[in-house]
């Protein structure tokens, strides 16, 4: 655990000379920091804007997942008003705590299909395909196999003996101790619709229906997250919390890279400090904060920097561009009133009993997480004619880089078997806009529908007029906007019809589901309007500091070694480097990015 990690004072931190400074103590940042600290000859510093979340129930207890969103451990970001969502703004929750968003998420542990990672190599980023990344996925993991009885009871299958799951990593991953009583209906219903159970969903193809693994320690049913990379308590790693990075310090140098990163200016307790790095500065602020800090440091699009009043040092127009995000629809259905609900935990007597059971034997409602999953191609959800039309429209788009466009378009070709839409099933009401009358005593279940390969492209930039790191950046995902956004809307519409007219009306699911609660119907006009009013984020932003591949800075911000173009000694290591989105929840992939980055840093330094 992270309990005894050395958290220093600001003066002490700034006085020390570091080989490497990592900005952001989140999922990727702590992975990199801990791995670099395995070399005792190096001195590593980590700057984290949040505090230490060790021992906080809202982080540790699986059944409390989501409670920390919007609280003091959250950055409280939000989007600009989105025309494609009827002018709504969406909250963009991100973890502001040691461990980052891995401390706040819903703990889903999965991977995309092989083809998703192989596209990174197809773009010219050598070493980023499935075969190259698999060792790094495994390096982060400590998989706990489930009891044998779980295989039939809860459909907990994986490759056994597994060549695809790690056994010695810092992040404990397992199937949950207990399962929702409705989970038993999920596999059977999808199977009835002709969708097979995927017996090896972690091994390079996630298409089908399956029970997900979670980032949970099977020994005590607690969240396992990035702060646990520090459990070895390295004496050469220094962490400063509540430290907000303001700027990467760049010094003029000779050669093709005219600037060198030599440190970081940060604030702590309303005071300014500078920390120096003799080898490299590594930005691990995530898809929001990493492009923000690059721009605050004078690296980015000249127009953005001029409007902000920041002198241009490195002309890099793709900083903050290429924003991609999974978008989600939360359907709500009325369900058999005898089934338990997560909402029951809001009742004092139920909450007390559940907490006592959890603390006694690590089981019960507080050990349960959403784990009923399915990833399906668009061809499963609608007619061949609709898919052909999407294919034709996607080939006509001109808003993508020429290297990206054919990859996005070919995902609609006949015979392609990729998880373009994800469904997650769970008891309870998961729609933040739906507030039923509690006096009616109705019970609900939800299906979350998530678009995996968005065509919508947005941006994240600093605001104009002399911004600082304390000013929230301008987050504009451009959901459903433009011709590319129209493709996203069309896929979500057909996916919605499948959820509301097929999944819920098929046995045995129809034995417990009484009817549609939100939306109220599936008339095309009504359903399309409901989609616009109810689409929300799935908290998986990527792409804002993407790997450029063979196109270089015309298409990205960093090279295949994650080095920022035009700057010596500066890398970005987090989800922002992914050039195209992947069909998976992101945390396992981000850990793999951090593991691979640490090894590359060692290789490039010759240490």
């Amino acid at each position: 655990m992270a309990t005894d990690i050395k958290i220093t004072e600001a003066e002490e931190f700034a006085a020390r000379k570091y080989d490497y400074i990592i900005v952001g103590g989140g999922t990727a940042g702590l992975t990199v920091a801990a791995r670099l600290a395995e070399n005792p000859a190096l001195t590593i510093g980590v700057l984290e804007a949040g505090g230490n979340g060790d021992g906080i129930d809202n982080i540790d207890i699986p059944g409390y997942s989501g409670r920390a969103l919007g609280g003091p451990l959250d950055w409280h970001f939000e989007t600009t008003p989105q025309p494609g969502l009827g002018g709504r703004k969406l909250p963009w929750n991100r973890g502001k705590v040691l461990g980052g968003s891995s401390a706040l998420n819903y703990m889903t542990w999965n991977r995309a299909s092989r083809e998703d990672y192989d596209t990174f190599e197809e773009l010219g980023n050598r070493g980023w395909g499935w075969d190259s990344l698999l060792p790094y996925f495994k390096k982060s993991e400590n998989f706990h196999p489930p009891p044998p009885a779980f295989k039939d009871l809860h459909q907990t299958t994986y490759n056994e003996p597994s060549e695809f799951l790690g056994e010695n990593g810092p992040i404990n991953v397992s199937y949950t101790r207990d399962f929702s009583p409705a989970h038993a209906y999920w596999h059977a219903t999808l199977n009835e619709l002709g969708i097979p159970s995927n017996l090896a969903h972690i091994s390079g193809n996630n298409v089908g229906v399956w029970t997900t693994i979670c980032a949970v320690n099977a020994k005590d049913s607690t969240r396992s997250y990035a702060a646990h990379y520090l459990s070895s308590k390295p004496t050469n790693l220094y962490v400063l919390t509540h430290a907000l990075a303001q700027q990467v310090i760049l010094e003029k140098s000779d050669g093709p890279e005219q600037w060198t990163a030599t440190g970081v200016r940060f604030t702590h307790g309303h005071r300014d400090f500078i920390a120096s790095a003799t080898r490299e500065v590594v930005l691990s602020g995530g898809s929001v904060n990493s492009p923000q800090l690059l721009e605050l440091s004078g690296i980015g699009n000249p127009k953005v920097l001029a409007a902000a009043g920041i002198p241009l040092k490195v002309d890099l127009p793709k900083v903050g561009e290429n924003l991609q995000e999974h978008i989600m629809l939360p359907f709500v259905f009325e369900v058999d009133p005898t089934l338990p609900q997560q909402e029951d935990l809001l009742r004092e007597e139920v909450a007390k009993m559940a907490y006592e059971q959890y603390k006694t034997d690590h089981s019960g409602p507080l050990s349960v997480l959403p784990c009923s999953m399915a990833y399906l191609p668009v061809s499963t959800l609608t007619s061949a004619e609709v898919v052909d039309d999407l294919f034709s429209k996607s080939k006509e788009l001109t808003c993508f880089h020429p290297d990206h466009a054919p990859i996005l378009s070919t995902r609609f070709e006949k015979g392609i078997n990729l998880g373009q839409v994800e469904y997650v099933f769970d008891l309870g009401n998961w729609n933040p806009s739906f507030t039923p009358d509690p006096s009616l005593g109705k019970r609900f279940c939800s299906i979350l529908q998530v678009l995996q390969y968005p065509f919508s492209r947005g941006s994240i930039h600093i605001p104009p007029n002399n911004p600082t790191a304390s000013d929230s950046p301008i987050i504009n995902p451009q959901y459903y906007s433009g011709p590319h956004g129209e493709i996203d809307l069309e896929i979500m519409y057909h996916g919605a019809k499948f959820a509301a007219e097929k999944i819920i009306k098929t046995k045995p699911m129809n034995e417990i589901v009484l009817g549609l609660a939100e939306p109220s119907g599936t008339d095309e006009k009504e359903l399309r309007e409901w989609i616009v009013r109810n689409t929300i984020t799935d908290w998986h932003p990527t792409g804002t500091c993407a790997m450029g591949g063979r196109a270089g800075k015309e298409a990205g911000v960093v090279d295949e070694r994650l080095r920022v173009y035009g700057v010596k000694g500066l890398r970005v290591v987090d989800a922002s480097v992914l050039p195209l989105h992947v069909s998976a929840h992101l945390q396992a992939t981000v850990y793999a990015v951090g593991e691979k980055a640490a090894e590359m840093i060692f290789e490039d330094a010759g240490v």
Side-chain angles (χ1 to χ4, degrees):
M1 302 292 286
T3 308
D4 298 324
I5 186 66
K6 183 186 293 184
I7 296 178
T8 65
E9 298 297 326
E11 292 83 355
E12 178 187 351
F13 188 94
R16 186 171 280 103
K17 294 292 184 181
Y18 300 97
D19 293 284
Y20 297 91
I21 292 177
I22 289 81
V23 182
T27 309
L30 292 185
T31 302
V32 173
R35 293 306 187 191
L36 294 180
E38 290 177 358
N39 183 333
L42 299 175
T43 302
I44 314 299
V46 176
L47 292 168
E48 166 54 42
N52 185 1
D54 194 45
I56 296 176
D57 280 351
N58 281 352
I59 290 178
D60 292 338
I61 298 177
Y64 288 172
S65 58
R67 292 191 178 187
L69 300 177
L73 309 180
D74 194 329
W75 278 95
H76 297 277
F77 293 132
E78 67 175 8
T79 71
T80 59
Q82 296 295 291
L85 302 184
R88 289 186 297 130
K89 297 180 181 180
L90 294 187
W92 260 39
N93 307 104
R94 311 304 303 158
K96 188 178 183 181
V97 61
L98 203 61
S101 294
S102 74
L104 271 62
N105 64 22
Y106 288 87
M107 300 175 230
T108 301
W109 191 267
N110 67 349
R111 302 175 190 156
S113 292
R114 167 188 290 271
E115 292 88 341
D116 287 14
Y117 304 108
D118 286 348
T119 61
F120 299 166
E121 282 200 317
E122 187 179 334
L123 292 171
N125 301 294
R126 292 173 298 174
W128 286 93
W130 167 267
D131 290 333
S132 298
L133 279 173
L134 181 57
Y136 302 108
F137 277 113
K138 294 172 64 176
K139 191 173 182 181
S140 70
E141 299 168 335
N142 180 19
F143 175 60
H144 301 256
F150 276 28
K151 182 176 181 181
D152 295 325
L153 281 174
H154 305 299
Q155 298 284 327
T156 55
T157 58
Y158 58 97
N159 300 75
E160 188 179 7
S162 181
E163 60 182 289
F164 295 99
L165 284 160
E167 299 176 342
N168 300 299
I171 304 301
N172 291 289
V173 298
S174 64
Y175 291 98
T176 56
R177 180 74 58 89
D178 288 308
F179 291 81
S180 158
H183 177 64
Y185 294 85
W186 182 244
H187 282 258
T189 299
L190 274 290
N191 294 164
E192 185 71 17
L193 285 166
I195 297 162
S197 294
N198 188 332
L199 304 182
H201 59 90
I202 205 80
S203 60
N205 186 329
N206 66 12
V207 175
V209 54
W210 35 273
T211 303
T212 194
I213 298 169
C214 299
V216 171
N217 189 335
K219 295 179 181 178
D220 59 7
S221 291
T222 57
R223 178 193 296 267
S224 189
Y225 65 110
H228 298 166
Y229 262 85
L230 307 181
S231 60
S232 62
K233 304 175 184 63
T235 57
N236 58 335
L237 192 156
Y238 300 87
V239 177
L240 181 63
T241 57
H242 303 291
L244 183 61
Q246 297 286 341
Q247 187 182 53
V248 177
I249 297 171
L250 302 177
E251 293 186 359
K252 199 78 168 168
S253 56
D254 297 327
E257 296 170 324
Q258 297 183 355
W259 296 92
T260 299
T262 61
V264 180
R265 182 171 65 83
F266 67 93
T267 55
H268 186 277
H270 305 291
R271 295 175 59 195
D272 280 349
F273 297 90
I274 289 176
S276 299
T278 59
R279 293 179 182 267
E280 289 188 14
V281 173
V282 178
L283 303 188
S284 293
S287 294
V288 177
N289 294 101
S290 285
Q292 176 194 33
L293 191 57
L294 287 175
E295 290 180 340
L296 290 171
S297 305
I299 303 169
N301 187 314
K303 294 181 180 179
V304 173
L305 298 186
I310 294 175
L312 175 69
K313 294 179 180 177
V314 180
D315 185 346
L316 207 50
K318 294 303 180 181
V319 169
E321 296 294 319
N322 193 44
L323 173 62
Q324 300 156 64
E325 165 65 326
H326 289 163
I327 47 179
M328 179 165 65
L329 282 172
F331 293 88
V332 185
F333 304 87
E334 188 179 352
V335 74
D336 183 339
T338 64
L339 292 172
Q341 303 277 292
Q342 278 296 100
E343 286 90 337
D344 292 340
L345 294 173
L346 299 177
R347 292 160 46 200
E348 185 176 352
E349 68 277 12
V350 176
K352 183 178 180 180
M353 287 190 294
Y355 189 79
E356 289 175 353
Q357 180 181 358
Y358 177 82
K359 289 296 184 180
T360 300
D361 61 9
H362 317 299
S363 68
L366 294 185
S367 70
V368 174
L369 284 166
C371 59
S372 306
M373 300 264 177
Y375 281 72
L376 305 179
V378 175
S379 58
T380 301
L381 312 177
T382 187
S383 67
E385 290 76 15
V386 169
V387 179
D388 288 343
D389 184 58
L390 290 169
F391 185 28
S392 297
K393 289 179 178 177
S394 69
K395 289 192 295 184
E396 296 170 358
L397 296 175
T398 59
C399 52
F400 300 111
H401 188 275
D403 285 353
H404 290 203
I407 294 173
L408 291 163
S409 181
T410 54
R411 286 169 172 160
F412 294 119
E413 285 186 337
K414 287 182 174 64
I416 296 297
N417 189 37
L418 292 171
Q420 292 165 297
V421 175
E422 173 196 19
Y423 293 103
V424 183
F425 172 67
D426 197 27
L427 290 176
N429 169 23
W430 285 74
N431 188 322
S433 299
F434 177 59
T435 307
D437 183 347
S439 67
L440 298 178
K442 292 183 177 182
R443 296 297 181 104
F444 301 95
C445 68
S446 297
I447 290 182
L448 308 179
Q449 173 187 312
V450 188
L451 181 69
Q452 296 300 296
Y453 301 126
F455 277 74
S456 300
R457 291 294 184 274
S459 63
I460 296 177
H461 292 298
I462 54 176
N465 303 321
N466 303 307
T468 70
S470 299
D471 298 311
S472 293
I474 299 171
I475 301 172
N476 182 16
Q478 300 197 82
Y479 296 128
Y480 299 147
S481 295
H484 47 307
E486 291 172 6
I487 290 181
D488 291 346
L489 182 59
E490 195 69 14
I491 295 171
M492 293 296 269
Y493 167 71
H494 290 287
K497 295 278 282 187
F498 187 81
E501 295 183 351
K502 296 289 187 180
I503 296 178
I504 292 301
K505 294 183 178 181
T506 299
K507 64 177 184 180
M509 191 70 76
N510 62 5
E511 298 171 5
I512 61 169
V513 174
L514 305 180
L516 190 58
E518 183 68 18
S520 57
T522 59
D523 169 77
E524 180 171 352
K525 183 176 183 296
E526 179 185 358
L527 185 56
R528 287 182 181 274
E529 290 175 352
W530 181 84
I531 290 170
V532 168
R533 294 195 309 270
N534 285 269
T535 293
I536 57 177
T537 178
D538 198 32
W539 306 292
H540 297 159
T542 65
T544 51
C545 297
M547 289 184 282
R550 60 179 163 270
K553 68 177 186 178
E554 291 183 6
V557 176
V558 299
D559 65 13
E560 66 196 34
R561 310 293 288 182
L562 308 187
R563 299 171 297 203
V564 176
Y565 294 121
V567 184
K568 184 179 179 181
L570 182 62
R571 294 188 208 235
V572 179
V573 181
D574 52 41
S576 72
V577 305
L578 304 182
L580 291 171
H581 220 317
V582 299
S583 176
H585 293 241
L586 280 180
Q587 68 168 333
T589 297
V590 175
Y591 282 116
V593 169
E595 291 280 8
K596 180 175 175 62
E599 189 166 298
M600 289 192 300
I601 290 170
F602 280 139
E603 291 171 352
D604 293 346
V607 296

